[in-house]
Amino acid sequence: MYINGEWCSNADDETITVRNPATQKTIGTVPRGNTADIEKAVKAARETFESEQWRTFLPDERGRILYKIAKKIRDAASEIAQMETRDTGKPLSQSQNDVEAAARYFEYYAGMADKILGETIPIQADVLDYTVREPVGVTAHIIPWNYPIQITSRSVAAAIATGNTVVVKPAEDTPLTALKLAELIEETKLPTGVYNVVTGYGNEAGAPLINHSDINHITFTGSVQTGTAIMQAAAKNIVPVTLELGGKSPNIVFADADQDKAAEWVVKSIIQNAGQTCSAGSRLLVQQNIKEDFLEKVKARMEAITIGKGEDDHDLGPILTEKQFNRIEEFMQIARKENVNIVTGGEGVEVEGAETGFYFEPTVLDNVKQESALTQEEIFGPVVSVFVFENDEEAIKLANDTPYGLVTGVWTENVGRAHRMASQIRAGQVFINNYGAGGGIQMPFGGYKKSGFGREKGLEALRNYTTLKNIALKM
Ligand code: ADP
């Protein structure tokens, strides 16, 4: 772990085993952090936050250090990407994209470090009223296992740019790149105690962090269940939270769309990271009169997907763990019980040379009922469910009829319809004739409904890490 500029293990030298999902073979161990380690890390972050050195640190100097971190990430990109692939199982080129995104977060927020502005507000002639945006203090970052380096960087870079100190708790299954980031940060002039990492399980290291009375903000990406626990913990201490929880995001394909392009993205959006993505395109809503042709296109593309170890950079890598794999299988049992038409896929696959890993075929489910768990719940695998609609109203109704609202793709050449759809869809991001816009670190990202609240990415995220003070001076 990395606490107050020092590398440490937990007091009892207990560890967690880290495995490569490609084969489930052990690739290392990290400390099994607990309450005592969290105490140490929060104390370091607090003392640093209140230190003269950090309080008077020039914003432009903070920015320059963040630029240096971005450069160091790029210089070590190949090593970090390989580490991320070993840790998460994802295909190497996807890890490379994640590492570049991580560098971009540091670069993007570096530029903002000295542009956090207040306002002057007219009150009366002899009163000068102005606002300043101040850092919130010690920020806690609970990171999921699906995009570790990217998600760590996006909230940490924004928090440091705005003058906070941070304690990161990476996911127990994928802790390596948050520690690698510490190694890179250590080589810069960022004061020790600004960036701290405590590895460990959710209940042993995560829980003491979110319940700690001396943290000032919690950023969380993960499941609705843990998001609920985080809000409850935060409620006790009156601490703001930013929650990015799951999704059941649809691609809505109209008959007038460029169907080849739409099919390509329907497949990409569910295959990326083996569907283990909060913004995965896990539903396909297709207009009735093109359904047959369009499904053929999707099926053909799904069946051409290559499956294998992340290191070998196939289209589709392994599922993270046996537990996640079993969860997908349970959804397939529901599909069979509900007489869903499995258009393609539906089974686990064995990969030669990686028989001990857990791989799942790209899967398309048709005739799924609206109230089915397959429609309403996140599967977190390479599984897309298909629905048909006849007109705009039906498409909107289906799109909005899940507990989530993270992302939606709309495919149509009719620009009026595209805007009408965008205005009525209850999701944090709507993409028209694309999906994801290449990851767009500049675009505010977050959810409606159970997908969470607060926005990450873009300038909007800076609000999470600053608090507003109004100052009135009577002349
Ligand atoms: P999943 O079930 O897919 O692993 P989680 O939401 O449980 O997703 O995990 C996301 C992150 O939340 C991980 O870093 C995990 O350790 C952490 N976590 C899980 N439970 C808790 C908890 N009770 N308190 C704080 N963090 C937790």
Side-chain angles (χ1 to χ4, degrees):
M1 299 186 284
Y2 187 69
I3 301 175
N4 210 18
E6 282 175 12
W7 293 96
C8 50
S9 45
N10 94 334
D12 307 316
D13 264 340
E14 291 171 326
T15 56
I16 295 178
T17 301
V18 185
R19 296 171 194 281
N20 181 346
T23 55
Q24 294 297 330
K25 295 222 166 87
T26 300
I27 52 171
T29 60
V30 293
R32 182 171 168 177
N34 58 27
T35 306
D37 303 304
I38 290 292
E39 278 299 332
K40 241 168 72 181
V42 173
K43 186 162 176 279
R46 170 60 55 196
E47 284 175 5
T48 305
F49 181 71
E50 285 176 2
S51 68
E52 176 79 13
Q53 184 197 17
W54 189 238
R55 214 161 32 81
T56 58
F57 214 80
L58 291 176
D60 55 314
E61 181 60 12
R62 278 203 309 266
R64 275 191 294 276
I65 290 173
L66 294 176
Y67 274 125
K68 281 211 181 101
I69 297 171
K71 179 165 188 313
K72 283 181 179 297
I73 291 173
R74 284 214 178 88
D75 290 347
S78 162
E79 182 197 344
I80 304 173
Q82 285 175 35
M83 181 184 274
E84 192 78 323
T85 282
R86 279 199 303 277
D87 208 5
T88 63
K90 70 176 66 178
L92 191 57
S93 53
Q94 293 180 24
S95 289
Q96 284 160 349
N97 290 342
D98 289 359
V99 174
E100 173 56 18
R104 284 286 292 125
Y105 281 117
F106 278 97
E107 194 169 73
Y108 181 80
Y109 291 117
M112 283 311 294
D114 59 353
K115 298 169 195 71
I116 309 295
L117 309 179
E119 295 178 313
T120 54
I121 300 173
I123 305 268
Q124 57 194 52
D126 60 350
V127 172
L128 169 65
D129 192 87
Y130 63 98
T131 60
V132 285
R133 286 209 162 266
E134 297 185 337
V136 294
V138 176
T139 59
H141 305 250
I142 307 278
I143 311 296
W145 48 261
N146 56 352
Y147 290 80
I149 186 68
Q150 203 185 135
I151 292 180
T152 305
S153 300
R154 85 177 175 201
S155 64
V156 163
I160 297 178
T162 40
N164 301 278
T165 56
V166 310
V167 179
V168 174
K169 207 298 280 173
E172 50 270 37
D173 291 306
T174 61
L176 300 186
T177 47
L179 293 169
K180 179 69 194 172
L181 189 58
E183 209 178 288
L184 301 179
I185 287 177
E186 194 178 29
E187 295 166 5
T188 69
K189 295 210 170 85
L190 194 72
T192 55
V194 173
Y195 179 79
N196 304 279
V197 185
V198 177
T199 52
Y201 292 112
N203 57 345
E204 294 177 358
L209 178 58
I210 60 169
N211 282 288
H212 203 292
S213 59
D214 206 21
I215 56 165
N216 304 107
H217 184 273
I218 305 170
T219 303
F220 172 73
T221 304
S223 63
V224 172
Q225 193 189 2
T226 306
T228 304
I230 286 182
M231 274 186 85
Q232 283 167 343
K236 277 186 293 186
N237 292 318
I238 315 292
V239 169
V241 295
T242 304
L243 298 181
E244 199 252 282
L245 313 175
K248 198 71 190 175
S249 300
N251 271 296
I252 308 173
V253 184
F254 285 90
D256 66 2
D258 177 337
Q259 288 183 31
D260 286 317
K261 181 122 279 166
E264 181 190 331
W265 278 98
V266 163
V267 172
K268 271 191 189 164
S269 70
I270 191 63
I271 289 309
Q272 184 175 324
N273 201 21
Q276 304 168 114
T277 303
C278 46
S279 57
S282 52
R283 288 187 295 152
L284 164 61
L285 315 188
V286 58
Q287 199 156 21
Q288 177 77 61
N289 54 346
I290 58 159
K291 181 188 170 187
E292 245 169 72
D293 285 353
F294 192 74
L295 261 194
E296 272 309 311
K297 287 182 195 290
V298 170
K299 180 170 182 265
R301 283 174 170 78
M302 289 292 245
E303 288 174 355
I305 293 286
T306 65
I307 308 174
K309 294 200 282 192
E311 290 92 321
D312 298 338
D313 206 21
H314 288 276
D315 303 323
L316 186 69
I319 304 301
L320 183 85
T321 56
E322 184 173 15
K323 183 176 146 215
Q324 292 296 330
F325 179 85
N326 288 343
R327 202 178 126 79
I328 301 171
E329 290 258 289
E330 279 165 29
F331 278 106
M332 289 309 119
Q333 279 165 21
I334 295 176
R336 289 186 192 100
K337 212 166 93 198
E338 294 181 356
N339 289 324
V340 161
N341 174 19
I342 301 176
V343 178
T344 183
E347 307 278 348
V349 268
E350 200 170 277
V351 165
E352 212 186 305
E355 289 79 3
T356 42
F358 296 96
Y359 297 80
F360 204 87
E361 287 177 329
T363 300
V364 180
L365 305 179
D366 190 15
N367 285 336
V368 184
K369 294 213 170 55
Q370 189 54 29
E371 63 279 9
S372 167
L374 299 162
T375 313
Q376 300 293 328
E377 293 176 25
E378 210 174 17
I379 299 175
F380 238 53
V383 181
V384 60
S385 304
V386 183
F387 306 84
V388 288
F389 64 87
E390 287 198 356
N391 52 38
D392 297 16
E393 289 67 36
E394 253 182 57
I396 290 163
K397 192 160 174 286
L398 287 174
N400 288 337
D401 186 19
T402 77
Y404 296 105
L406 195 56
V407 172
T408 298
V410 179
W411 299 86
T412 175
E413 293 295 302
N414 178 334
V415 83
R417 163 186 282 154
H419 285 294
R420 280 195 304 278
M421 296 295 293
S423 76
Q424 291 184 63
I425 280 163
R426 293 181 48 74
Q429 288 190 332
V430 178
F431 293 99
I432 298 163
N433 295 330
N434 74 102
Y435 197 92
I441 61 132
Q442 309 91 330
M443 302 181 301
F445 178 62
Y448 280 49
K449 303 189 277 183
K450 283 198 175 157
S451 293
F453 56 80
R455 294 292 177 264
E456 301 220 60
K457 303 186 171 190
L459 297 185
E460 198 63 24
L462 298 172
R463 290 177 195 272
N464 302 334
Y465 304 106
T466 55
T467 188
L468 196 71
K469 181 182 278 174
N470 186 91
I471 299 168
L473 171 89
K474 175 95 169 157
M475 287 183 244

